[in-house]
Amino acid sequence: MKHLFKQGNKNLPTLLLLHGTGGDERDLLPLADMIEPEASVLSVKGNVDENGMARFFARLKEGVFDEEDLVFRTKELLDFVRESAVKYEFDPNNLVAVGYSNGANIVASLMYHYNDALKGGILFHAMVPIRGLDLPELSGVQVFIGAGKRDPLIPMPETKELVKNLKDAQASVTEFWTEGGHELRRDEVVEAKGWFENHFK
């Protein structure tokens, strides 16, 4: 997978950066600098092309995911991250994913499918990735979810369902709501930075 790696402080978690639809491996680098500038960073570009826009998995239409492709791409991403951990010599068990929109959805999918993929996740504007699945036990996994009360793409009940699913799987979940829509707001990032410092420094 196309990616960038930046070596940082090995005592901190490595940040796995996952962009939104149409983004690339450079999109979230400023976000990582805001959350923890000293952390190592693995920033990945999605392998799926949707009308010229990079995504991490296919969808059938707006808000409707291709679940077969989602499962395949989630495993593909996990395998890539573990290969990268060997190549770049970072600890795959000390990984915090940071995702926005489509990137946040595949972070959620990693948690829905694997209990050991991530130590934590910062999910900005995420949806429930898949339904009808028994989640693995996620105790010890720390999750921050940033959402907009007026998000036209993700209704509040959708985010609340995601939160409930993760909590039911024993993950520790922090919610932060803005008055905004689907855009990423500065106050979300500031809150995520404080959350990261509380849990991982």
Side-chain angles (χ1 to χ4, degrees):
M1 299 181 78
K2 192 174 181 186
H3 66 284
L4 293 170
F5 181 77
K6 181 187 82 172
Q7 181 65 60
N9 184 338
K10 290 197 171 189
N11 293 321
L12 293 168
T14 297
L15 298 180
L16 171 64
L17 306 183
L18 303 163
H19 62 77
T21 299
D24 63 25
E25 68 280 12
R26 292 178 177 81
D27 269 23
L28 299 191
L29 293 176
L31 196 59
D33 279 341
M34 292 173 74
I35 291 168
E36 181 42 73
E38 293 186 8
S40 297
V41 168
L42 177 65
S43 190
V44 182
K45 183 178 181 181
N47 264 352
V48 174
D49 184 316
E50 181 184 271
N51 303 318
M53 298 184 297
R55 283 177 55 85
F56 287 99
F57 56 88
R59 57 184 172 183
L60 305 176
K61 60 180 181 178
E62 186 81 57
V64 181
F65 301 157
D66 180 334
E67 292 188 352
E68 186 177 340
D69 191 62
L70 172 69
V71 172
F72 173 79
R73 300 293 178 182
T74 301
K75 176 70 161 56
E76 177 185 60
L77 177 61
L78 181 62
D79 289 345
F80 173 75
V81 168
R82 288 180 171 166
E83 289 163 12
S84 298
V86 175
K87 179 179 179 181
Y88 296 117
E89 299 181 340
F90 65 84
D91 182 357
N93 298 312
N94 194 18
L95 195 67
V96 175
V98 182
Y100 167 67
S101 194
N102 178 240
N105 293 337
I106 202 158
V107 175
S109 184
L110 282 168
M111 294 177 181
Y112 272 51
H113 287 94
Y114 304 101
N115 69 340
D116 59 350
L118 299 167
K119 192 171 185 179
I122 297 174
L123 287 66
F124 294 115
H125 304 264
M127 298 173 69
V128 174
I130 191 167
R131 291 184 169 87
L133 193 70
D134 290 329
L135 272 66
E137 207 259 348
L138 296 172
S139 59
V141 178
Q142 303 289 334
V143 185
F144 176 93
I145 293 179
K149 293 178 183 176
R150 296 176 175 82
D151 192 327
L153 302 178
I154 308 173
M156 281 184 74
E158 176 90 19
T159 303
K160 292 289 188 182
E161 183 182 343
L162 174 63
V163 170
K164 183 179 187 304
N165 288 346
L166 292 170
K167 284 184 173 179
D168 286 350
Q170 308 305 315
S172 174
V173 184
T174 299
E175 296 171 65
F176 182 75
W177 292 85
T178 75
E179 297 298 324
H182 196 64
E183 75 283 357
L184 183 55
R185 292 197 163 195
R186 184 176 181 83
D187 51 351
E188 288 177 81
V189 180
V190 170
E191 200 71 22
K193 176 183 175 64
W195 171 90
F196 182 89
E197 289 175 349
N198 287 339
H199 290 94
F200 298 106
K201 288 187 80 172

